[in-house]
Amino acid sequence: MRIAVLALQGAFIEHERMLQKLGAETFEIRQERDWYQPMDGLVIPGGESTTMLKLLRDLNLLEPVRNAILEGLPVFGTCAGLILLARKVTGQDFDRLSTMDIDVCRNAYGRQLGSFYTEDKVEEVGDNIPMTFIRAPYINKVYGDARALAVVDGHIVAARQGNQLVTAFHPELNEDMRIHSHFIDIIREHIGA
Ligand code: GLN
């Protein structure tokens, strides 16, 4: 199984390490030509969504990545990755990947409260999942085919829509590998392995 990790900016190394520990092969997308090779899944890491979006556009990757996701490529977006996948982001009318039926609020917890740690249940995954939030967004609303998987303090912080999985927190920053393992299961199911 080969998983692409978008490595334009942000916390991508930690995802690679975790996926490798789980037995997956990973490779980085840093430039346009990196995209055009076989892959079974894609990770869009946390970082700064506006910067990542600009780089995706500059590299002519926005459309190809969007099309691959719409055709069913399994994708896991954390934090800024979640923002890029959202169809709607409060206060931001411009184009993104926009493949997931979620409405998102950026830097939603305010400057002070945006970074915190908690543990909570994630549907399909398990209980007491470590959740590290860093200037995190949250999901205001899921609709269409999207489903909420986790709610913390009344806000949706994880969701799934078909082969798309998103978390507002950073599971790659803790030792617990259950969320990444779940993403690998989604890929396995997709490729029928
Ligand atoms: N606040 C960032 C943004 O809006 C996301 C933060 C993160 O990915 N840790 O892009």
Coordinates of all heavy atoms in Angstrom, one line a residue, residues 44-111:
I44 N -3.5 14.9 3.8 CA -3.3 16.3 3.8 C -3.1 16.8 5.2 O -4.0 16.7 6.0 CB -4.5 17.0 3.1 CG1 -4.8 16.4 1.7 CG2 -4.2 18.5 3.0 CD1 -5.9 17.1 1.0
P45 N -1.9 17.2 5.6 CA -1.6 17.5 7.0 C -2.1 18.8 7.5 O -2.7 19.6 6.7 CB 0.0 17.5 6.9 CG 0.3 18.0 5.6 CD -0.8 17.5 4.7
G46 N -1.8 19.1 8.7 CA -2.0 20.4 9.3 C -1.0 21.3 8.9 O 0.1 20.9 8.4
G47 N -1.2 22.6 9.1 CA -0.3 23.6 8.7 C -1.0 24.9 8.6 O -1.9 25.2 9.5
E48 N -0.8 25.6 7.5 CA -1.6 26.9 7.3 C -2.4 26.7 6.0 O -1.8 26.6 5.0 CB -0.6 28.0 7.2 CG -1.3 29.4 7.3 CD -2.2 29.6 8.5 OE1 -1.8 29.2 9.6 OE2 -3.3 30.1 8.3
S49 N -3.7 26.6 6.2 CA -4.5 26.2 5.0 C -4.4 27.2 3.8 O -4.3 26.8 2.7 CB -6.0 26.1 5.4 OG -6.4 27.2 6.0
T50 N -4.2 28.5 4.1 CA -4.2 29.5 3.0 C -2.8 29.3 2.3 O -2.8 29.4 1.0 CB -4.2 30.9 3.6 OG1 -3.4 31.1 4.7 CG2 -5.7 31.3 4.0
T51 N -1.8 29.0 3.0 CA -0.5 28.8 2.3 C -0.5 27.5 1.5 O -0.1 27.5 0.3 CB 0.7 28.7 3.4 OG1 0.6 29.8 4.3 CG2 2.0 28.6 2.8
M52 N -1.1 26.5 2.1 CA -1.1 25.2 1.4 C -2.0 25.3 0.1 O -1.6 24.8 -0.9 CB -1.7 24.2 2.3 CG -0.8 23.0 2.5 SD -1.6 21.7 3.5 CE -1.2 22.2 5.1
L53 N -3.0 26.1 0.2 CA -3.9 26.2 -0.9 C -3.2 27.0 -2.0 O -3.3 26.6 -3.2 CB -5.2 27.0 -0.5 CG -6.3 27.2 -1.5 CD1 -6.8 25.9 -2.0 CD2 -7.4 28.0 -0.9
K54 N -2.5 28.0 -1.7 CA -1.8 28.8 -2.7 C -0.7 27.9 -3.4 O -0.6 28.0 -4.6 CB -1.1 30.0 -2.0 CG -0.3 30.9 -3.0 CD 0.4 32.0 -2.3 CE 1.1 32.9 -3.3 NZ 1.9 32.2 -4.3
L55 N 0.0 27.1 -2.6 CA 1.0 26.3 -3.2 C 0.3 25.2 -4.1 O 0.8 24.9 -5.2 CB 1.8 25.6 -2.1 CG 2.7 26.5 -1.3 CD1 3.3 25.9 -0.1 CD2 3.9 27.0 -2.2
L56 N -0.8 24.7 -3.7 CA -1.5 23.7 -4.5 C -1.9 24.3 -5.9 O -1.8 23.7 -6.9 CB -2.8 23.2 -3.8 CG -2.7 22.1 -2.8 CD1 -4.0 21.8 -2.1 CD2 -2.2 20.8 -3.5
R57 N -2.4 25.6 -5.8 CA -2.7 26.3 -7.0 C -1.5 26.5 -7.9 O -1.5 26.2 -9.1 CB -3.4 27.6 -6.7 CG -4.8 27.5 -6.3 CD -5.5 28.9 -6.7 NE -6.8 28.9 -6.0 CZ -6.9 29.5 -4.9 NH1 -6.0 30.2 -4.3 NH2 -8.1 29.5 -4.3
D58 N -0.5 27.1 -7.3 CA 0.7 27.4 -8.0 C 1.3 26.2 -8.7 O 1.9 26.3 -9.8 CB 1.8 28.0 -7.1 CG 1.4 29.4 -6.6 OD1 0.4 29.9 -7.1 OD2 2.1 29.9 -5.7
L59 N 1.2 25.0 -8.1 CA 1.8 23.8 -8.7 C 0.8 23.1 -9.6 O 1.1 21.9 -10.1 CB 2.2 22.8 -7.6 CG 3.3 23.3 -6.7 CD1 3.4 22.4 -5.4 CD2 4.6 23.3 -7.4
N60 N -0.3 23.7 -9.9 CA -1.4 23.1 -10.8 C -1.9 21.8 -10.2 O -2.2 20.8 -11.0 CB -0.8 22.8 -12.2 CG -0.4 24.0 -12.9 OD1 -1.1 25.0 -12.9 ND2 0.8 24.0 -13.5
L61 N -1.9 21.7 -8.9 CA -2.4 20.4 -8.3 C -3.8 20.5 -7.7 O -4.3 19.4 -7.4 CB -1.4 20.0 -7.1 CG -0.1 19.5 -7.6 CD1 0.9 19.3 -6.4 CD2 -0.3 18.1 -8.3
L62 N -4.4 21.7 -7.7 CA -5.7 21.7 -7.1 C -6.7 20.9 -7.8 O -7.4 20.0 -7.2 CB -6.1 23.2 -7.0 CG -7.4 23.5 -6.1 CD1 -7.0 23.2 -4.7 CD2 -7.8 24.9 -6.3
E63 N -6.8 21.0 -9.1 CA -7.8 20.3 -9.9 C -7.5 18.8 -9.9 O -8.4 18.0 -9.6 CB -7.8 20.8 -11.3 CG -8.5 22.1 -11.5 CD -10.0 21.9 -11.2 OE1 -10.6 20.9 -11.7 OE2 -10.6 22.8 -10.6
P64 N -6.2 18.4 -10.2 CA -6.0 16.9 -10.2 C -6.3 16.3 -8.8 O -6.8 15.2 -8.8 CB -4.5 16.8 -10.5 CG -4.1 18.1 -11.1 CD -5.1 19.1 -10.6
V65 N -5.9 16.9 -7.7 CA -6.1 16.3 -6.4 C -7.7 16.3 -6.2 O -8.2 15.2 -5.7 CB -5.4 17.2 -5.3 CG1 -5.9 16.7 -3.9 CG2 -3.9 17.1 -5.4
R66 N -8.4 17.3 -6.5 CA -9.8 17.3 -6.3 C -10.5 16.2 -7.1 O -11.3 15.4 -6.6 CB -10.4 18.7 -6.7 CG -11.9 18.7 -6.7 CD -12.5 19.9 -7.3 NE -12.2 21.1 -6.6 CZ -11.8 22.2 -7.2 NH1 -11.7 22.3 -8.5 NH2 -11.5 23.3 -6.5
N67 N -10.1 16.1 -8.4 CA -10.7 15.0 -9.2 C -10.4 13.6 -8.7 O -11.3 12.8 -8.7 CB -10.2 15.2 -10.7 CG -10.7 16.4 -11.3 OD1 -11.7 17.0 -10.9 ND2 -10.0 16.9 -12.3
A68 N -9.2 13.4 -8.2 CA -8.9 12.1 -7.7 C -9.7 11.8 -6.5 O -10.2 10.6 -6.3 CB -7.4 12.0 -7.3
I69 N -9.9 12.8 -5.6 CA -10.8 12.5 -4.4 C -12.2 12.3 -4.8 O -12.9 11.4 -4.3 CB -10.7 13.7 -3.4 CG1 -9.2 13.9 -2.9 CG2 -11.7 13.6 -2.3 CD1 -9.0 15.2 -2.2
L70 N -12.7 13.1 -5.8 CA -14.1 12.9 -6.2 C -14.3 11.5 -6.9 O -15.3 10.9 -6.9 CB -14.5 14.0 -7.2 CG -14.7 15.4 -6.6 CD1 -14.9 16.4 -7.6 CD2 -15.7 15.4 -5.5
E71 N -13.2 11.0 -7.5 CA -13.2 9.6 -8.1 C -13.1 8.5 -7.0 O -13.1 7.4 -7.4 CB -12.2 9.5 -9.2 CG -12.6 10.2 -10.5 CD -11.4 10.4 -11.4 OE1 -10.4 9.8 -11.3 OE2 -11.6 11.3 -12.3
G72 N -12.8 8.9 -5.8 CA -12.8 7.9 -4.7 C -11.5 7.7 -4.0 O -11.4 6.8 -3.1
L73 N -10.4 8.4 -4.4 CA -9.2 8.2 -3.7 C -9.4 8.5 -2.2 O -9.8 9.6 -1.8 CB -8.1 9.2 -4.3 CG -6.7 9.1 -3.6 CD1 -6.0 7.9 -4.0 CD2 -5.9 10.4 -3.9
P74 N -9.0 7.5 -1.3 CA -9.1 7.8 0.1 C -8.2 8.9 0.5 O -7.1 9.0 0.1 CB -8.7 6.5 0.7 CG -9.0 5.4 -0.3 CD -8.7 6.1 -1.6
V75 N -8.8 9.8 1.3 CA -8.0 11.0 1.8 C -8.2 11.2 3.3 O -9.3 11.0 3.8 CB -8.4 12.3 1.0 CG1 -9.8 12.7 1.1 CG2 -7.5 13.4 1.3
F76 N -7.1 11.6 4.0 CA -7.2 11.9 5.4 C -6.7 13.3 5.6 O -5.5 13.5 5.3 CB -6.4 10.8 6.2 CG -6.3 11.1 7.6 CD1 -7.3 11.7 8.3 CD2 -5.2 10.6 8.4 CE1 -7.2 12.0 9.7 CE2 -5.1 10.8 9.7 CZ -6.1 11.5 10.4
G77 N -7.5 14.2 6.0 CA -7.1 15.6 6.3 C -7.1 15.9 7.7 O -8.1 15.7 8.4
T78 N -6.0 16.4 8.2 CA -6.0 16.9 9.6 C -5.9 18.4 9.7 O -5.1 19.0 9.0 CB -4.8 16.3 10.4 OG1 -3.6 16.6 9.7 CG2 -4.9 14.8 10.5
C79 N -6.8 19.0 10.5 CA -6.7 20.4 10.8 C -6.7 21.3 9.5 O -7.7 21.4 8.9 CB -5.4 20.7 11.6 SG -5.6 22.2 12.6
A80 N -5.6 21.9 9.0 CA -5.6 22.6 7.8 C -6.1 21.7 6.6 O -6.8 22.2 5.7 CB -4.2 23.2 7.5
G81 N -5.8 20.5 6.7 CA -6.3 19.5 5.7 C -7.8 19.4 5.6 O -8.4 19.4 4.6
L82 N -8.3 19.4 6.8 CA -9.8 19.4 7.0 C -10.4 20.7 6.3 O -11.4 20.7 5.6 CB -10.2 19.3 8.4 CG -11.6 19.5 8.9 CD1 -11.8 18.8 10.2 CD2 -12.0 21.0 9.1
I83 N -9.7 21.8 6.6 CA -10.2 23.1 6.0 C -10.2 23.0 4.5 O -11.2 23.5 3.8 CB -9.3 24.3 6.5 CG1 -9.5 24.4 8.0 CG2 -9.7 25.6 5.8 CD1 -8.5 25.4 8.7
L84 N -9.1 22.5 3.9 CA -9.0 22.4 2.4 C -10.1 21.5 1.8 O -10.5 21.8 0.7 CB -7.6 21.9 2.0 CG -6.5 22.8 2.3 CD1 -5.2 22.2 1.8 CD2 -6.7 24.2 1.7
L85 N -10.5 20.5 2.6 CA -11.5 19.6 2.0 C -13.0 20.1 2.2 O -13.9 19.6 1.5 CB -11.4 18.2 2.7 CG -10.1 17.5 2.3 CD1 -9.9 16.3 3.3 CD2 -10.2 17.0 0.9
A86 N -13.2 21.1 3.0 CA -14.5 21.6 3.3 C -15.2 22.3 2.1 O -14.5 23.1 1.5 CB -14.5 22.5 4.5
R87 N -16.4 22.1 1.9 CA -17.2 22.8 0.9 C -17.4 24.2 1.3 O -17.4 25.1 0.4 CB -18.5 22.1 0.7 CG -18.8 21.8 -0.8 CD -20.1 21.2 -1.0 NE -20.1 19.8 -1.2 CZ -19.6 19.3 -2.3 NH1 -19.1 20.0 -3.3 NH2 -19.6 18.0 -2.5
K88 N -17.5 24.5 2.6 CA -17.7 25.9 3.0 C -16.9 26.2 4.2 O -16.8 25.4 5.2 CB -19.2 26.0 3.3 CG -19.6 27.5 3.5 CD -21.1 27.7 3.5 CE -21.4 29.0 4.2 NZ -22.4 28.9 5.3
V89 N -16.3 27.4 4.2 CA -15.5 27.8 5.4 C -16.0 29.2 5.7 O -16.0 30.1 4.8 CB -14.0 27.9 5.1 CG1 -13.2 28.5 6.2 CG2 -13.5 26.5 4.7
T90 N -16.4 29.5 6.9 CA -17.0 30.8 7.3 C -16.0 31.9 6.9 O -14.9 31.8 7.3 CB -17.3 30.8 8.8 OG1 -18.1 29.6 9.1 CG2 -18.1 32.0 9.2
G91 N -16.5 32.9 6.2 CA -15.7 34.1 5.9 C -14.7 33.9 4.8 O -13.9 34.8 4.5
Q92 N -14.7 32.7 4.1 CA -13.7 32.5 3.0 C -14.5 32.0 1.8 O -14.8 30.8 1.7 CB -12.7 31.5 3.4 CG -11.8 32.0 4.5 CD -10.5 31.2 4.7 OE1 -10.5 30.0 4.5 NE2 -9.4 31.8 5.0
D93 N -14.7 32.8 0.8 CA -15.5 32.5 -0.3 C -14.8 31.8 -1.5 O -15.4 31.4 -2.4 CB -16.3 33.7 -0.8 CG -17.6 33.9 0.0 OD1 -18.0 32.9 0.7 OD2 -18.1 35.0 0.0
F94 N -13.4 31.8 -1.3 CA -12.7 31.3 -2.5 C -12.7 29.8 -2.6 O -13.1 29.0 -1.7 CB -11.3 31.8 -2.5 CG -10.6 31.7 -1.1 CD1 -10.1 30.5 -0.7 CD2 -10.5 32.8 -0.3 CE1 -9.6 30.3 0.6 CE2 -9.9 32.7 1.0 CZ -9.4 31.5 1.4
D95 N -12.2 29.3 -3.7 CA -12.2 27.9 -4.1 C -11.2 27.1 -3.3 O -10.1 27.6 -3.0 CB -11.8 27.8 -5.6 CG -12.3 26.5 -6.2 OD1 -13.2 25.9 -5.6 OD2 -11.8 26.1 -7.2
R96 N -11.6 25.9 -2.9 CA -10.6 25.0 -2.2 C -10.8 23.7 -2.9 O -11.3 23.6 -4.0 CB -11.0 24.9 -0.7 CG -10.6 25.9 0.2 CD -11.3 25.8 1.6 NE -12.7 25.8 1.4 CZ -13.4 26.9 1.3 NH1 -12.8 28.1 1.5 NH2 -14.7 26.9 1.1
L97 N -10.3 22.6 -2.2 CA -10.6 21.3 -2.8 C -12.1 21.0 -2.8 O -12.7 20.5 -3.7 CB -9.9 20.2 -2.0 CG -8.4 20.2 -2.2 CD1 -7.7 19.3 -1.2 CD2 -8.0 19.8 -3.6
S98 N -12.8 21.5 -1.7 CA -14.2 21.5 -1.6 C -14.9 20.2 -1.9 O -15.9 20.2 -2.7 CB -14.8 22.6 -2.5 OG -14.1 23.8 -2.3
T99 N -14.4 19.1 -1.4 CA -15.0 17.8 -1.8 C -15.9 17.2 -0.7 O -16.5 16.2 -0.9 CB -13.9 16.8 -2.0 OG1 -13.0 16.8 -0.9 CG2 -13.1 17.1 -3.3
M100 N -15.9 17.9 0.5 CA -16.6 17.3 1.6 C -17.7 18.1 2.1 O -17.6 19.4 2.2 CB -15.6 17.0 2.7 CG -15.9 15.9 3.6 SD -14.6 15.4 4.7 CE -15.6 14.4 5.8
D101 N -18.9 17.5 2.4 CA -20.1 18.3 2.8 C -20.0 18.7 4.2 O -20.8 18.2 5.1 CB -21.3 17.4 2.5 CG -21.5 17.0 1.0 OD1 -21.0 17.8 0.2 OD2 -22.1 16.0 0.8
I102 N -19.1 19.6 4.5 CA -19.0 20.1 5.9 C -18.8 21.6 5.8 O -18.1 22.1 4.9 CB -17.8 19.5 6.6 CG1 -16.4 19.6 5.9 CG2 -18.0 18.0 6.9 CD1 -15.2 19.1 6.6
D103 N -19.4 22.3 6.8 CA -19.2 23.7 7.0 C -18.2 23.9 8.1 O -18.4 23.3 9.2 CB -20.5 24.4 7.3 CG -21.4 24.5 6.1 OD1 -21.0 24.1 5.1 OD2 -22.5 25.1 6.3
V104 N -17.2 24.7 7.9 CA -16.1 24.8 8.8 C -15.8 26.2 9.3 O -16.0 27.1 8.5 CB -14.8 24.2 8.2 CG1 -13.6 24.5 9.0 CG2 -14.9 22.7 8.0
C105 N -15.5 26.3 10.5 CA -15.1 27.6 11.1 C -13.6 27.5 11.4 O -13.1 26.6 12.1 CB -15.9 27.7 12.4 SG -16.2 29.3 12.9
R106 N -12.8 28.4 10.8 CA -11.3 28.4 11.0 C -11.0 29.1 12.3 O -11.6 30.0 12.7 CB -10.7 29.2 9.9 CG -10.1 28.4 8.8 CD -9.4 29.4 7.9 NE -8.0 29.5 8.2 CZ -7.2 30.5 7.9 NH1 -7.7 31.5 7.2 NH2 -5.9 30.5 8.2
N107 N -9.8 28.7 12.9 CA -9.4 29.3 14.2 C -10.5 29.5 15.1 O -10.7 30.5 15.7 CB -8.6 30.6 13.9 CG -7.4 30.4 13.0 OD1 -6.7 29.4 13.1 ND2 -7.1 31.3 12.2
A108 N -11.3 28.4 15.2 CA -12.7 28.6 15.7 C -12.7 28.8 17.2 O -13.7 29.3 17.7 CB -13.5 27.3 15.4
Y109 N -11.7 28.4 17.9 CA -11.7 28.5 19.3 C -11.1 29.8 19.8 O -11.0 30.0 21.0 CB -10.9 27.3 19.9 CG -11.5 26.0 19.6 CD1 -11.1 25.3 18.5 CD2 -12.5 25.4 20.5 CE1 -11.7 24.0 18.3 CE2 -13.1 24.2 20.2 CZ -12.7 23.5 19.1 OH -13.2 22.3 18.9
G110 N -10.7 30.7 18.9 CA -10.1 31.9 19.4 C -8.7 31.7 19.7 O -8.2 30.6 19.8
R111 N -7.9 32.8 19.8 CA -6.5 32.7 19.9 C -6.0 31.9 21.1 O -5.1 31.1 21.0 CB -5.9 34.1 19.9 CG -4.8 34.2 18.8 CD -4.2 35.6 18.8 NE -4.7 36.4 17.7 CZ -4.6 37.7 17.6 NH1 -3.9 38.4 18.6 NH2 -5.0 38.4 16.6

